Amino acid sequence: MKIRLFVLAALSLAAAAAQADPYEKTLANGLRVIVQEDRRAPTAVHMVWYRAGSMDEVDGTSGVAHVLEHMMFKGTKNLKPGEFNKRVAAAGGRDNAFTSLDYTAYFQQVPARRLGDMMALEADRMANLVLDAKEFEQEIKVVMEERRLRTEDNPQALVHEKQMAAAFQAHPYRRPIIGWMNDLENMTAADARDWYRRWYAPNNAYVIVVGDVNKDEVFRLAEKHYGNIPRRALPGRKPQAEPPQIGVKRLVVKAPAKLPYLSMAWKVPALRDLQTEREPYALEVLAGVLDGHEGARFPRNLVRGTRMAVSAGAGYDATVRGEALFSVAGTPAEGKTVADLEAALRAEIARVANEGVSPEELERVKTQTIAAQVYKRDSMMAQAMEIGRLEAAGVRWRDIDTLLEKIRSVTAEEVQAVAKKYFDDARLTVAVLDPQPLPEGAAQKSVSSLRH
């Protein structure tokens, strides 16, 4: 819950900006190429991002974005199944992929001199993927097993899945990234083929290269390998606004677990206009006041002070394509109930709403968060990741300075104002894990290591 994607994006890119601004070129087929030169090591990160994630799916085929991510490693007209990974490894690199609510991305980290080879591989599967029915039947079983491991056998992940499904009535964020099991059981190779045909076009993608490279050479390589892939008409995207919530929603999840767990999520604004909006920045700082560092209010007051909780956290991401939630969550300490913890979490937010935050507290949150994230994200991979995440949300890398300045300009009064405005029951969805006896010999899995 301590992830601050919004701040992370801005701050990590500040580190990148300290070296040189990224460079960008758009090919004739609509593919954007963004290059960050970083010569600290003779390696390069190459990423291809498709602006299509699970929020673009429809009922009945939930999870297809993630399934196609798996199938992208199952061969093309030119490569046998599994050969992609072997070629990356032979080049001395590593590769992986990930699917989110908003996007799907693929990356390789290789010696910089092998960048052209990676572009050739990615361009090949952008244009020539083969979705063989037999390969699909095998891989869909892998995905179903992944769902069992990540969600169905993981009580806290199960709570978050049920909470999203309850919080959003109409918005596609109600569907899990990995998909409902019944949809996976009934998914066909044709569904994956249709997804590939709809969204995997150069004009719906962007390439990010960070590393020991020259921008002009990268643009030349991109033109050589991606430039001949024709652009295609993309499906229209209709507005999918969530209807106003008119009362608190509560749910209980019964699952084998050692400890109870509580998660509370309020609907709040996402960032849409960097220049005119102020509340998303204030909500980001509020999350830092509650859970930004060891001296923040949740760990100081609830974990070490009153010993109300074993753990307590807050999270907010303003840079999303869809709807935003402000979440707080925690596990009550021994002898305390989830009701006790809910009251305590609410009280901490109410204190901010009623009493505000001190200038010293505000400055500490900004300074410590900025410093920690700059150092933590000072890597090629982190730079590429954050550029990609921002771009997926519609925030251009050129707006990094604006994001930083806006965060730094948040006032105590603005933090207090959003704490007063957005944390009422009409916006709230509460999910509680009611722990059931664990099977003999079973151990509760870590959520953080398994979630998307």
Side-chain angles (χ1 to χ4, degrees):
M1 293 295 289
K2 292 187 176 180
I3 295 174
R4 309 261 186 277
L5 292 179
F6 179 40
V7 170
L8 297 186
L11 302 178
S12 60
L13 284 173
Q19 301 160 44
D21 287 335
Y23 302 92
E24 179 177 344
K25 179 178 181 180
T26 301
L27 306 186
N29 60 10
L31 180 74
R32 292 171 54 219
V33 183
I34 302 168
V35 182
Q36 172 69 51
E37 296 178 349
D38 185 334
R39 303 186 184 283
R40 289 174 294 175
T43 63
V45 174
H46 172 241
M47 287 186 164
V48 179
W49 292 67
Y50 295 93
R51 208 160 182 261
S54 65
M55 74 170 287
D56 301 295
E57 298 166 350
V58 297
D59 286 346
T61 57
S62 66
V64 69
H66 174 248
V67 170
L68 183 63
E69 176 209 309
H70 278 241
M71 294 304 297
M72 287 285 279
F73 296 89
K74 297 301 175 182
T76 70
K77 295 177 182 177
N78 305 304
L79 293 181
K80 297 177 181 177
E83 193 173 346
F84 187 101
N85 303 104
K86 291 179 181 176
R87 293 204 179 191
V88 175
R94 64 186 182 94
D95 71 298
N96 212 328
F98 44 91
T99 303
S100 85
L101 294 167
D102 296 344
Y103 54 78
T104 306
Y106 304 83
F107 73 85
Q108 303 87 42
Q109 187 162 19
V110 293
R113 57 188 169 78
R114 304 304 296 269
L115 176 62
D117 297 336
M118 300 303 105
M119 286 190 174
L121 288 170
E122 283 289 9
D124 179 44
R125 64 180 178 179
M126 180 185 287
N128 300 313
L129 187 69
V130 173
L131 279 152
D132 179 78
K134 289 185 178 179
E135 290 287 342
F136 181 87
E137 290 303 317
Q138 294 176 359
E139 198 62 24
I140 196 68
K141 294 176 183 174
V142 173
V143 175
M144 286 191 282
E145 183 57 28
E146 184 180 344
R147 179 184 160 80
R148 293 186 188 96
L149 178 66
R150 286 178 178 272
T151 305
E152 295 176 6
D153 292 345
N154 190 305
Q156 291 187 12
L158 199 58
V159 167
H160 287 290
E161 180 180 275
K162 302 302 183 190
Q163 185 180 40
M164 291 291 281
F168 294 113
Q169 170 186 345
H171 193 274
Y173 279 2
R174 72 184 188 279
R175 293 187 292 263
I177 294 169
I178 200 164
W180 301 117
M181 182 61 89
N182 185 252
D183 288 350
L184 297 176
E185 290 169 342
N186 290 287
M187 194 170 291
T188 67
D191 294 319
R193 199 173 292 120
D194 181 61
W195 183 262
Y196 177 72
R197 186 170 52 246
R198 288 164 63 89
W199 299 113
Y200 278 52
N203 45 314
N204 193 44
Y206 47 97
V207 170
I208 299 171
V209 175
V210 178
D212 186 14
V213 297
N214 174 276
K215 69 178 192 311
D216 294 327
E217 175 62 8
V218 174
F219 293 147
R220 187 191 69 78
L221 289 170
E223 188 68 51
K224 174 184 176 182
H225 295 293
Y226 293 104
N228 292 328
I229 303 173
R231 67 185 302 144
R232 296 200 303 272
L234 298 172
R237 286 182 164 115
K238 294 185 178 180
Q240 300 183 85
E242 175 72 8
Q245 188 170 330
I246 54 175
V248 64
K249 300 178 183 181
R250 290 184 177 274
L251 65 144
V252 175
V253 176
K254 292 181 178 291
K258 289 183 178 178
L259 299 171
Y261 179 70
L262 167 71
S263 180
M264 307 168 70
W266 288 265
K267 292 188 175 75
V268 295
L271 183 63
R272 297 288 180 253
D273 188 320
L274 277 67
Q275 296 294 343
T276 62
E277 293 177 332
R278 295 290 302 171
E279 289 181 335
Y281 304 105
L283 286 163
E284 185 64 40
V285 174
L286 174 60
V289 168
L290 298 174
D291 184 33
H293 53 93
E294 286 304 308
R297 296 194 179 198
F298 280 179
R300 185 183 68 218
N301 297 339
L302 301 185
V303 178
R304 298 194 302 275
T306 61
R307 298 185 184 275
M308 173 65 65
V310 174
S311 64
Y316 169 65
D317 182 7
T319 50
V320 292
R321 284 175 54 203
E323 305 274 349
L325 294 174
F326 191 107
S327 300
V328 301
T331 297
E334 186 175 357
K336 306 295 183 183
T337 67
V338 290
D340 295 332
L341 179 57
E342 178 180 336
L345 292 168
R346 286 176 179 266
E348 289 296 332
I349 297 172
R351 281 185 57 210
V352 176
N354 296 328
E355 303 169 14
V357 296
S358 68
E360 295 77 15
E361 188 177 26
L362 186 65
E363 188 60 30
R364 184 177 180 186
V365 168
K366 295 180 185 178
T367 302
Q368 290 197 351
T369 305
I370 288 170
Q373 298 308 331
V374 166
Y375 289 120
K376 184 186 294 183
R377 296 284 178 158
D378 190 17
S379 75
M380 294 181 189
M381 181 62 73
Q383 291 174 51
M385 287 290 294
E386 301 303 339
I387 291 173
R389 283 173 174 161
L390 279 178
E391 292 283 342
V395 179
R396 303 300 305 277
W397 59 264
R398 292 187 176 88
D399 294 320
I400 301 309
D401 289 344
T402 300
L403 287 172
L404 278 173
E405 184 55 39
K406 294 291 185 180
I407 294 169
R408 287 172 173 149
S409 69
V410 170
T411 66
E413 290 75 20
E414 288 175 321
V415 177
Q416 185 175 14
V418 294
K420 284 183 178 178
K421 183 175 180 180
Y422 287 110
F423 294 88
D424 56 276
D425 279 2
R427 301 171 177 273
L428 175 62
T429 302
V430 182
V432 172
L433 171 63
D434 181 5
Q436 304 298 300
L438 287 165
E440 189 172 348
Q444 186 168 324
K445 300 178 179 66
S446 166
V447 172
S448 59
S449 63
L450 292 172
R451 289 177 66 188
H452 275 275

